[in-house]
Structure formats: structure tokens, C-alpha cells
Amino acid sequence: MDTLTYLKNIYGYDTPIFLKDIRIGRKSKTAIKQELYRAYNNGDIQKKSEGIYYFKSDKEFGSG
């Protein structure tokens, strides 16, 4: 399972993901940080501020 899929399964949407709290097997913090940075540049994940990411839901406010 790749990092983004793993994080999406754990955190879901619109929940802050703190880089400092992420532990994925034997992956280093640097490797995880690089993966999140690339995902952010590709638009796969959103960045709230330094070290805080989240998956934006597709829902619009007030719908569903």
C-alpha cells in the first residue's frame, strides 16, 4: 500500500495530518516528507501550513 492510500485510510478527509506524527513501517521521516511534498505539488493532497496536510473532500459545504 502506498503512503497516500495508507494516510487516506487512517485519517480520511478534511482531518489534519501532522507530519511529525506519521510513522509508516521503516520509512524515514525524510522519505515521508518527500512523498507528501510531491503529492502536494501534484494536487493529490492539500497543505494547511508547514508540516500539516489533509485530503480535501469533494463535498461542497451544505450538500448531502
Side-chain angles (χ1 to χ4, degrees):
M1 180 181 298
D2 72 339
T3 301
L4 291 183
T5 303
Y6 174 78
L7 291 174
K8 196 177 284 186
N9 287 336
I10 298 297
Y11 292 97
Y13 293 92
D14 299 323
T15 302
I17 303 168
F18 295 90
L19 181 61
K20 65 182 179 80
D21 295 337
I22 300 172
R23 303 279 187 278
I24 302 174
R26 294 181 158 225
K27 281 189 182 184
S28 69
K29 286 285 190 187
T30 303
I32 294 169
K33 185 176 182 177
Q34 289 172 347
E35 287 184 55
L36 291 177
Y37 180 76
R38 283 193 297 270
Y40 170 70
N41 284 335
N42 291 335
D44 298 328
I45 195 167
Q46 306 298 309
K47 187 173 182 178
K48 179 71 174 169
S49 62
E50 190 65 35
I52 304 173
Y53 294 87
Y54 66 98
F55 293 101
K56 185 176 180 182
S57 69
D58 293 335
K59 288 186 185 178
E60 291 185 33
F61 180 71
S63 65

